[in-house]
Amino acid sequence: MADVVIQATNLSKELTSSLLRRKVRILSGLNLKVVQGETFGLIGPNGAGKTTSIKLMLGLMRPSEGTAEILGMPAGDKRALAQLGYLPENPYFYSHLTGAEFLDFAGQLFGIEKKERSERARELTELVGLAEAADTQMRKYSKGMLQRLGIAQSLINRPQLIFWDEPMSGLDPIGRKDVRRILFHLKENGTTIFFNSHLLPDVNEVCDRVGVMNKGQLIVQEEVKNISQGGSYKDLEDFFLEVIAGQGAR
Ligand SMILES: Nc1ncnc2c1ncn2[C@@H]1O[C@H](COP(=O)(O)OP(=O)(O)OP(=O)(O)O)[C@@H](O)[C@H]1O
Ligand SMILES: [Mg+2]
């Protein structure tokens, strides 16, 4: 059995809603294990709790109950953070920097030596199709170019585990294909991948396993091959819609 690299146990989050003046539960009892080398896709309607789950697993948010362990360490442990890559849902960029400067900055945060940083920045801008724009200021980047740069920065430290929150968001069909190619390349190298996406054909193509989240609960986990080859569902979208319909209208 491969090593468990992500483990959430009864992970839950409550927030106080100023509008409703009461506590609202945005994540309820998430139990999940992802093993080394696995590609796991978390899907679910808007507001289901996908981003919240990632933030709790990374230690960017504190759980109200439960625990998360990443690479055998508690969520937020610096030793674990040093070995993972994160693409946030809404990355913040320093717009006056060029793409290459931003990657250099990201590399400095991981304590990477200057020579390796510049080699890595060159490799990564190439990988994400930004080589020609590497010396352009980010304020001149389009949405999709920023997304590509976000993907590049998440790989600067050669992570063994990545958390990507909607990596295909804002990308054109060529960009989506590029992301799938990068994902396959990472998979081949044994990287463990956890990502959220609404693009079900892409999830279907690259993931080993999917989880469906709705209203703060992980309601199903299933191997993709069982969905596509099981005969009960036309495709992942069909499976997703059936599962959500079974939960009642939102
Ligand atoms: N800081 C916050 N304050 C108040 N409510 C929040 C906060 N963060 C998240 N929520 C609420 O928690 C729920 C889950 O949000 P989350 O961002 O995790 O959803 P999501 O599944 O990632 O959705 P999407 O597909 O739209 O990105 C939503 O109802 C959202 O409004
Ligand atoms: Mg989200």
Side-chain angles (χ1 to χ4, degrees):
M1 177 78 186
D3 288 347
V4 173
V5 292
I6 302 174
Q7 178 154 19
T9 309
N10 190 33
L11 199 60
S12 307
K13 182 70 182 173
E14 275 187 356
L15 290 172
T16 305
S17 162
S18 48
L19 188 69
L20 302 173
R21 295 206 187 146
R22 63 174 172 83
K23 286 197 167 175
V24 288
R25 217 169 165 76
I26 60 171
L27 191 70
S28 302
L30 173 65
N31 289 303
L32 178 70
K33 281 183 189 174
V34 177
V35 298
Q36 189 174 3
E38 193 175 21
T39 300
F40 187 92
L42 187 61
I43 58 180
N46 291 132
K50 304 179 298 298
T51 295
T52 302
S53 302
I54 286 191
K55 286 183 177 169
L56 288 166
M57 289 192 266
L58 291 172
L60 298 174
M61 223 185 213
R62 270 171 199 257
S64 310
E65 271 175 63
T67 56
E69 277 195 8
I70 301 301
L71 300 166
M73 293 170 248
D77 190 298
K78 288 201 178 78
R79 288 163 304 166
L81 292 175
Q83 296 173 62
L84 61 85
Y86 172 44
L87 172 71
E89 185 172 43
N90 297 307
Y92 173 75
F93 292 101
Y94 303 93
S95 60
H96 61 285
L97 297 183
T98 66
E101 286 168 346
F102 178 67
L103 291 178
D104 189 73
F105 171 68
Q108 285 182 47
L109 296 179
F110 283 102
I112 302 168
E113 293 292 318
K114 189 168 176 25
K115 185 162 171 286
E116 199 194 333
R117 285 202 310 269
S118 66
E119 276 167 22
R120 195 76 188 124
R122 202 169 36 247
E123 273 169 32
L124 287 170
T125 46
E126 192 80 45
L127 182 74
V128 300
L130 281 179
E132 283 177 21
D135 297 321
T136 303
Q137 282 185 321
M138 284 184 283
R139 65 188 171 82
K140 295 182 187 159
Y141 277 20
S142 69
K143 182 169 158 49
M145 289 164 80
L146 287 172
Q147 185 72 1
R148 285 164 187 259
L149 188 64
I151 288 170
Q153 70 72 30
S154 77
L155 301 174
I156 195 82
N157 57 330
R158 300 184 194 278
Q160 57 162 303
L161 166 63
I162 57 170
F163 287 90
W164 281 358
D165 200 342
E166 299 196 31
M168 281 90 171
S169 161
L171 294 181
D172 62 25
I174 304 161
R176 275 173 64 186
K177 196 168 170 213
D178 283 346
V179 171
R180 290 197 298 272
R181 174 180 51 79
I182 294 167
L183 283 169
F184 280 118
H185 171 73
L186 292 168
K187 266 167 91 103
E188 273 169 20
N189 290 330
T191 312
T192 309
I193 299 162
F194 185 102
F195 75 103
N196 295 341
S197 182
H198 293 295
L199 295 164
L200 303 186
D202 294 338
V203 173
N204 188 63
E205 195 177 326
V206 298
C207 288
D208 303 309
R209 206 150 54 91
V210 291
V212 182
M213 183 163 270
N214 194 25
K215 301 175 187 171
Q217 287 186 308
L218 183 64
I219 48 180
V220 186
Q221 297 178 50
E222 189 54 89
E223 293 199 21
V224 169
K225 65 173 188 299
N226 293 343
I227 298 168
S228 52
Q229 295 164 12
S232 309
Y233 304 100
K234 197 159 61 91
D235 52 22
L236 183 59
E237 182 178 89
D238 189 31
F239 171 77
F240 174 79
L241 294 174
E242 289 266 331
V243 167
I244 298 296
Q247 286 266 300
R250 280 172 53 76

Coordinates of all heavy atoms in Angstrom, one line a residue, residues 176-230:
R176 N -5.7 24.7 -21.6 CA -6.2 23.5 -20.9 C -5.5 22.3 -21.3 O -5.1 21.4 -20.5 CB -7.7 23.4 -21.2 CG -8.6 24.2 -20.3 CD -10.0 24.1 -20.8 NE -10.6 22.8 -20.7 CZ -11.8 22.5 -21.1 NH1 -12.6 23.4 -21.7 NH2 -12.3 21.2 -21.0
K177 N -5.2 22.2 -22.6 CA -4.4 21.0 -23.1 C -3.0 21.0 -22.5 O -2.5 20.0 -22.1 CB -4.4 21.0 -24.6 CG -4.0 19.7 -25.2 CD -4.2 19.7 -26.7 CE -3.5 18.5 -27.3 NZ -3.0 18.7 -28.6
D178 N -2.4 22.2 -22.4 CA -1.1 22.4 -21.8 C -1.1 21.9 -20.3 O -0.2 21.2 -19.9 CB -0.6 23.8 -21.8 CG -0.1 24.2 -23.2 OD1 0.1 23.4 -24.0 OD2 0.0 25.5 -23.4
V179 N -2.2 22.3 -19.6 CA -2.3 21.9 -18.2 C -2.4 20.4 -18.1 O -1.8 19.8 -17.2 CB -3.5 22.6 -17.5 CG1 -3.7 22.1 -16.1 CG2 -3.2 24.1 -17.4
R180 N -3.2 19.8 -19.0 CA -3.3 18.3 -18.9 C -2.0 17.7 -19.2 O -1.6 16.7 -18.5 CB -4.4 17.8 -20.0 CG -5.8 18.2 -19.6 CD -6.8 17.4 -20.4 NE -6.7 17.6 -21.8 CZ -7.3 18.5 -22.5 NH1 -8.1 19.3 -21.9 NH2 -7.2 18.6 -23.8
R181 N -1.2 18.2 -20.2 CA 0.1 17.7 -20.5 C 1.0 17.8 -19.2 O 1.7 16.9 -18.9 CB 0.7 18.5 -21.7 CG 2.1 18.1 -22.0 CD 2.6 19.0 -23.2 NE 2.4 20.4 -23.1 CZ 3.2 21.2 -22.4 NH1 4.2 20.8 -21.7 NH2 2.9 22.5 -22.4
I182 N 0.9 19.0 -18.6 CA 1.8 19.2 -17.4 C 1.4 18.2 -16.3 O 2.2 17.6 -15.6 CB 1.7 20.6 -16.9 CG1 2.3 21.6 -17.9 CG2 2.4 20.8 -15.5 CD1 2.0 23.1 -17.7
L183 N 0.1 18.0 -16.1 CA -0.4 17.1 -15.1 C 0.1 15.6 -15.4 O 0.6 15.0 -14.5 CB -1.9 17.1 -15.0 CG -2.5 18.3 -14.3 CD1 -4.0 18.3 -14.5 CD2 -2.2 18.2 -12.8
F184 N 0.0 15.2 -16.7 CA 0.5 13.9 -17.0 C 2.0 13.8 -16.7 O 2.5 12.7 -16.2 CB 0.2 13.5 -18.4 CG -1.3 13.1 -18.6 CD1 -2.1 13.8 -19.4 CD2 -1.7 12.0 -17.9 CE1 -3.5 13.4 -19.5 CE2 -3.1 11.6 -18.1 CZ -3.9 12.3 -18.9
H185 N 2.7 14.8 -17.1 CA 4.2 14.8 -16.8 C 4.5 14.7 -15.3 O 5.3 13.9 -14.9 CB 4.7 16.2 -17.4 CG 6.1 16.5 -17.1 ND1 7.2 15.8 -17.7 CD2 6.7 17.4 -16.3 CE1 8.3 16.3 -17.3 NE2 8.1 17.2 -16.4
L186 N 3.7 15.4 -14.5 CA 3.9 15.4 -13.1 C 3.6 14.0 -12.5 O 4.3 13.4 -11.7 CB 3.1 16.4 -12.3 CG 3.5 17.9 -12.6 CD1 2.4 18.8 -12.1 CD2 4.8 18.2 -11.9
K187 N 2.5 13.4 -13.1 CA 2.1 12.1 -12.7 C 3.1 11.1 -13.0 O 3.4 10.2 -12.1 CB 0.8 11.7 -13.5 CG -0.5 12.0 -12.8 CD -1.6 11.8 -13.8 CE -2.2 10.4 -13.9 NZ -3.5 10.3 -13.2
E188 N 3.7 11.2 -14.2 CA 4.8 10.2 -14.5 C 6.0 10.3 -13.6 O 6.6 9.3 -13.3 CB 5.3 10.6 -16.0 CG 4.5 9.9 -17.0 CD 4.8 10.4 -18.4 OE1 5.9 11.0 -18.6 OE2 3.9 10.2 -19.3
N189 N 6.2 11.5 -13.0 CA 7.3 11.7 -12.1 C 6.9 11.3 -10.7 O 7.7 11.6 -9.7 CB 7.8 13.1 -12.1 CG 8.5 13.4 -13.4 OD1 9.1 12.4 -14.0 ND2 8.5 14.6 -13.9
G190 N 5.7 10.8 -10.5 CA 5.3 10.3 -9.2 C 4.7 11.4 -8.2 O 4.5 11.1 -7.1
T191 N 4.4 12.6 -8.8 CA 3.9 13.7 -8.0 C 2.4 13.3 -7.6 O 1.7 12.8 -8.4 CB 3.9 15.0 -8.8 OG1 5.1 15.2 -9.4 CG2 3.5 16.2 -7.9
T192 N 2.1 13.6 -6.3 CA 0.7 13.4 -5.9 C 0.0 14.7 -6.2 O 0.5 15.8 -6.0 CB 0.7 13.2 -4.4 OG1 1.6 12.1 -4.1 CG2 -0.7 12.8 -3.9
I193 N -1.2 14.6 -6.8 CA -1.9 15.8 -7.3 C -3.3 15.8 -6.7 O -4.1 14.9 -6.7 CB -2.0 15.7 -8.8 CG1 -0.6 15.7 -9.4 CG2 -2.8 16.9 -9.3 CD1 -0.5 15.3 -10.9
F194 N -3.6 17.0 -6.1 CA -5.0 17.2 -5.6 C -5.5 18.5 -6.2 O -4.9 19.5 -6.1 CB -4.9 17.4 -4.1 CG -6.3 17.5 -3.4 CD1 -6.9 16.4 -2.8 CD2 -7.0 18.7 -3.5 CE1 -8.1 16.5 -2.2 CE2 -8.3 18.8 -2.9 CZ -8.8 17.7 -2.3
F195 N -6.6 18.4 -7.0 CA -7.1 19.6 -7.6 C -8.6 19.7 -7.6 O -9.3 18.7 -7.6 CB -6.4 19.9 -8.9 CG -6.9 19.1 -10.1 CD1 -7.8 19.7 -11.0 CD2 -6.5 17.8 -10.3 CE1 -8.3 18.9 -12.1 CE2 -6.9 17.1 -11.4 CZ -7.8 17.6 -12.3
N196 N -9.1 21.0 -7.6 CA -10.5 21.3 -7.8 C -10.7 21.7 -9.2 O -9.9 22.5 -9.7 CB -10.9 22.5 -6.9 CG -10.7 22.3 -5.5 OD1 -10.7 21.2 -5.0 ND2 -10.7 23.4 -4.7
S197 N -11.8 21.3 -9.7 CA -12.1 21.8 -11.1 C -13.6 21.7 -11.4 O -14.3 20.8 -10.8 CB -11.3 21.1 -12.1 OG -11.6 21.6 -13.4
H198 N -14.1 22.5 -12.3 CA -15.5 22.4 -12.8 C -15.4 21.8 -14.2 O -16.5 21.5 -14.7 CB -16.2 23.8 -12.9 CG -16.4 24.4 -11.5 ND1 -17.3 23.8 -10.6 CD2 -15.9 25.5 -10.9 CE1 -17.3 24.6 -9.5 NE2 -16.4 25.6 -9.7
L199 N -14.2 21.6 -14.7 CA -14.1 21.1 -16.1 C -14.0 19.6 -16.1 O -13.0 19.0 -16.0 CB -12.9 21.7 -16.8 CG -13.1 23.3 -16.9 CD1 -11.8 24.0 -17.2 CD2 -14.2 23.6 -18.0
L200 N -15.2 19.0 -16.1 CA -15.3 17.5 -15.8 C -14.6 16.7 -16.9 O -14.0 15.6 -16.5 CB -16.8 17.1 -15.7 CG -17.5 17.9 -14.5 CD1 -18.9 17.3 -14.3 CD2 -16.7 17.8 -13.2
P201 N -14.6 17.0 -18.2 CA -13.8 16.2 -19.1 C -12.3 16.2 -18.8 O -11.7 15.1 -18.9 CB -14.1 16.9 -20.5 CG -15.4 17.6 -20.3 CD -15.4 18.1 -18.9
D202 N -11.8 17.3 -18.3 CA -10.4 17.3 -17.9 C -10.2 16.5 -16.7 O -9.2 15.7 -16.6 CB -9.9 18.8 -17.6 CG -10.0 19.6 -18.9 OD1 -9.9 19.1 -20.0 OD2 -10.0 20.9 -18.8
V203 N -11.1 16.6 -15.7 CA -11.0 15.8 -14.5 C -11.0 14.3 -14.9 O -10.2 13.5 -14.4 CB -12.1 16.1 -13.5 CG1 -12.2 15.2 -12.3 CG2 -12.0 17.6 -13.1
N204 N -11.9 13.9 -15.8 CA -12.1 12.6 -16.2 C -10.8 12.0 -16.8 O -10.4 10.9 -16.6 CB -13.2 12.5 -17.2 CG -13.6 11.1 -17.6 OD1 -14.0 10.3 -16.7 ND2 -13.4 10.7 -18.8
E205 N -10.1 12.9 -17.6 CA -9.0 12.5 -18.3 C -7.8 12.2 -17.4 O -7.0 11.3 -17.6 CB -8.6 13.5 -19.4 CG -7.7 12.9 -20.5 CD -7.4 13.9 -21.6 OE1 -8.3 14.7 -22.0 OE2 -6.3 13.9 -22.1
V206 N -7.6 13.1 -16.4 CA -6.3 13.0 -15.7 C -6.4 12.4 -14.3 O -5.4 12.0 -13.8 CB -5.7 14.4 -15.5 CG1 -5.3 15.0 -16.9 CG2 -6.5 15.4 -14.7
C207 N -7.6 12.3 -13.7 CA -7.7 11.8 -12.3 C -7.8 10.3 -12.2 O -8.4 9.7 -13.0 CB -8.9 12.5 -11.6 SG -8.7 14.2 -11.3
D208 N -7.2 9.8 -11.1 CA -7.4 8.4 -10.8 C -8.7 8.3 -10.0 O -9.5 7.3 -10.1 CB -6.3 7.9 -9.9 CG -4.9 8.1 -10.6 OD1 -4.8 7.7 -11.7 OD2 -4.0 8.7 -10.0
R209 N -9.0 9.3 -9.2 CA -10.2 9.2 -8.3 C -10.8 10.6 -8.2 O -10.1 11.6 -8.3 CB -9.7 8.7 -6.9 CG -10.7 8.0 -6.1 CD -10.0 7.0 -5.1 NE -9.0 7.6 -4.3 CZ -9.2 8.1 -3.1 NH1 -10.4 8.1 -2.5 NH2 -8.2 8.7 -2.4
V210 N -12.1 10.6 -8.0 CA -12.8 11.9 -7.8 C -13.6 11.8 -6.5 O -14.1 10.8 -6.1 CB -13.8 12.3 -9.0 CG1 -13.0 12.6 -10.2 CG2 -14.8 11.2 -9.2
G211 N -13.8 13.0 -6.0 CA -14.7 13.2 -4.8 C -15.7 14.2 -5.2 O -15.4 15.2 -5.9
V212 N -17.0 14.0 -4.9 CA -18.0 15.0 -5.1 C -18.4 15.6 -3.8 O -18.8 14.9 -2.9 CB -19.3 14.4 -5.8 CG1 -20.3 15.5 -6.1 CG2 -18.9 13.6 -7.1
M213 N -18.3 16.9 -3.8 CA -18.7 17.7 -2.6 C -19.9 18.5 -2.9 O -20.1 19.0 -3.9 CB -17.5 18.6 -2.2 CG -17.7 19.4 -1.0 SD -16.1 20.0 -0.4 CE -15.5 18.6 0.6
N214 N -20.8 18.5 -1.9 CA -22.0 19.4 -2.0 C -22.4 19.9 -0.6 O -22.4 19.1 0.3 CB -23.1 18.5 -2.6 CG -24.3 19.4 -3.1 OD1 -24.1 20.6 -3.4 ND2 -25.5 18.8 -3.1
K215 N -22.7 21.1 -0.5 CA -23.1 21.8 0.7 C -22.2 21.4 1.9 O -22.7 21.0 3.0 CB -24.6 21.3 1.0 CG -25.5 21.7 -0.1 CD -26.9 21.1 0.3 CE -27.9 21.3 -0.9 NZ -29.1 20.6 -0.7
G216 N -20.9 21.5 1.6 CA -19.9 21.2 2.7 C -19.7 19.8 3.1 O -19.0 19.5 4.1
Q217 N -20.2 18.9 2.3 CA -20.0 17.5 2.6 C -19.4 16.7 1.4 O -19.9 16.9 0.3 CB -21.3 16.8 3.0 CG -21.7 17.2 4.4 CD -22.9 16.4 4.9 OE1 -23.9 16.4 4.2 NE2 -22.8 15.9 6.1
L218 N -18.5 15.9 1.7 CA -18.0 15.0 0.6 C -18.9 13.8 0.5 O -19.0 13.0 1.5 CB -16.5 14.5 1.0 CG -15.9 13.6 -0.1 CD1 -15.7 14.4 -1.4 CD2 -14.6 13.1 0.4
I219 N -19.7 13.8 -0.5 CA -20.8 12.8 -0.5 C -20.4 11.5 -1.2 O -21.0 10.4 -0.9 CB -22.1 13.4 -1.1 CG1 -21.8 14.1 -2.4 CG2 -22.8 14.3 -0.1 CD1 -23.1 14.7 -3.0
V220 N -19.5 11.5 -2.2 CA -19.0 10.3 -2.8 C -17.5 10.4 -3.2 O -17.1 11.5 -3.5 CB -19.7 10.1 -4.2 CG1 -19.4 8.8 -4.8 CG2 -21.2 10.2 -4.1
Q221 N -16.9 9.3 -3.1 CA -15.5 9.2 -3.6 C -15.5 7.9 -4.5 O -16.1 6.9 -4.1 CB -14.5 8.9 -2.5 CG -14.4 10.0 -1.5 CD -13.4 9.5 -0.4 OE1 -12.3 9.1 -0.7 NE2 -13.8 9.6 0.8
E222 N -15.0 8.1 -5.7 CA -15.0 6.9 -6.6 C -13.8 6.9 -7.6 O -13.3 8.0 -7.9 CB -16.3 7.0 -7.4 CG -16.6 5.8 -8.3 CD -16.6 4.5 -7.5 OE1 -17.6 4.1 -7.0 OE2 -15.5 3.8 -7.4
E223 N -13.4 5.8 -8.0 CA -12.3 5.7 -9.0 C -12.9 6.0 -10.3 O -14.0 5.6 -10.7 CB -11.7 4.3 -9.0 CG -11.0 4.0 -7.7 CD -10.0 2.8 -7.9 OE1 -9.6 2.5 -9.0 OE2 -9.7 2.3 -6.9
V224 N -12.2 6.8 -11.1 CA -12.7 7.3 -12.4 C -13.0 6.1 -13.3 O -14.0 6.1 -14.0 CB -11.7 8.3 -13.0 CG1 -12.1 8.6 -14.4 CG2 -11.7 9.6 -12.2
K225 N -12.1 5.1 -13.2 CA -12.4 4.0 -14.2 C -13.7 3.3 -13.9 O -14.3 2.8 -14.8 CB -11.2 3.1 -14.2 CG -10.8 2.3 -13.0 CD -9.7 1.3 -13.3 CE -9.4 0.4 -12.2 NZ -8.9 0.9 -10.9
N226 N -14.1 3.3 -12.6 CA -15.4 2.6 -12.3 C -16.5 3.4 -12.8 O -17.6 2.8 -13.1 CB -15.5 2.5 -10.7 CG -14.5 1.5 -10.2 OD1 -13.9 0.7 -10.9 ND2 -14.3 1.6 -8.9
I227 N -16.4 4.7 -12.9 CA -17.5 5.5 -13.4 C -17.6 5.4 -14.9 O -18.7 5.1 -15.4 CB -17.2 7.0 -13.0 CG1 -17.2 7.2 -11.5 CG2 -18.3 7.9 -13.6 CD1 -16.7 8.6 -11.0
S228 N -16.4 5.5 -15.6 CA -16.5 5.4 -17.0 C -16.7 4.0 -17.6 O -17.3 3.9 -18.6 CB -15.2 6.0 -17.6 OG -14.1 5.4 -17.1
Q229 N -16.3 3.0 -16.8 CA -16.4 1.7 -17.4 C -17.6 0.9 -16.7 O -17.8 -0.3 -17.1 CB -15.1 0.9 -17.2 CG -14.0 1.5 -18.0 CD -12.6 1.0 -17.6 OE1 -12.5 0.0 -16.8 NE2 -11.6 1.6 -18.1
G230 N -18.2 1.5 -15.7 CA -19.2 0.7 -14.9 C -20.5 0.5 -15.7 O -21.2 -0.4 -15.3

